[in-house]
Amino acid sequence: NHLSLFDGFVLTALLPRSPPSFVAKAEGLANLPLYGRILQAMQVIFVDRTSAASRKVTMERLASRYGPFGDSAWPPLVVFPEGTTAPFTPSLLPFQLGAFRLGQPVQPVVIRYSHIDLSAPTTSGWESGVKADIVLILRAITSVRVGVEVVFLPVYVPSEEARASPELFAQGVKTAMETVASKHRGA
């Protein structure tokens, strides 16, 4: 699940021996003065979600980087299959199918924050994402306490049927994640 701009940093902090790389939207993020440079240093694969050509190139880069599970010289890859943040939805958003088309095993992760308001402020226009991120950063650094819980689920190895059907593969992973997420929402 993808709740905030902090998710990538949380996962990077939890995996210091092998910091992950990410797939991230190119819109806005790649060109931010400091944040964009950090993401580039992390070998992030940027995708322009509005461009079919960019999505195709992204899939080619993923396929070339990640062969058989665990057999890659590249850092672990994190893909937020929802494709956007959704801090206060009762369930996960629909998953984008791109990464599931590779048919590779995945390690689902569920993240939960406490003691912080992650709801995006209402802004409009091109700057809305940047403004919302700045507000979230200010909320975090001015909070007395911010809690985060990360649950690493067992590796999900798709069946042959799921390898042939990205929709089935994505639904299986989403179901596993929702089971854990719903237990934690009630906590």
Side-chain angles (χ1 to χ4, degrees):
N1 60 325
H2 194 18
L3 300 176
S4 79
L5 69 117
F6 303 118
D7 299 347
F9 295 110
V10 167
L11 293 173
T12 299
L14 290 173
L15 303 166
R17 289 191 175 166
S18 185
S21 181
F22 298 85
V23 173
K25 66 179 182 177
E27 313 89 85
L29 292 180
N31 298 321
L32 289 176
L34 178 62
Y35 195 63
R37 294 272 189 191
I38 292 169
L39 295 177
Q40 289 170 6
M42 294 170 66
Q43 301 177 31
V44 167
I45 298 173
F46 289 105
V47 60
D48 178 349
R49 300 176 298 178
T50 63
S51 164
S54 177
R55 292 191 307 270
K56 182 179 185 230
V57 168
T58 299
M59 287 304 299
E60 291 168 356
R61 290 182 70 192
L62 290 175
S64 70
R65 279 193 187 190
Y66 300 97
F69 187 65
D71 185 27
S72 177
W74 290 94
L77 178 71
V78 174
V79 176
F80 297 108
E82 294 169 292
T84 190
T85 57
F88 289 106
T89 56
S91 62
L92 299 174
L93 295 175
F95 281 11
Q96 304 300 312
L97 301 178
F100 296 101
R101 294 185 195 289
L102 296 174
Q104 298 290 349
V106 297
Q107 169 113 49
V109 177
V110 175
I111 301 173
R112 178 176 168 232
Y113 295 92
S114 59
H115 310 293
I116 184 171
D117 177 9
L118 291 176
S119 59
T122 54
T123 56
S124 61
W126 177 86
E127 300 172 341
S128 64
V130 174
K131 287 179 183 175
D133 289 346
I134 291 169
V135 169
L136 290 176
I137 290 168
L138 290 173
R139 285 180 187 162
I141 63 176
T142 59
S143 294
V144 174
R145 175 177 156 195
V146 176
V148 62
E149 181 178 12
V150 180
V151 179
F152 288 85
L153 281 67
V155 171
Y156 189 100
V157 180
S159 65
E160 286 303 317
E161 184 181 10
R163 284 182 201 270
S165 169
E167 295 84 1
L168 183 62
F169 187 4
Q171 187 55 52
V173 172
K174 185 177 182 194
T175 299
M177 291 177 69
E178 284 184 325
T179 300
V180 171
S182 67
K183 287 180 186 175
H184 291 277
R185 271 193 293 275

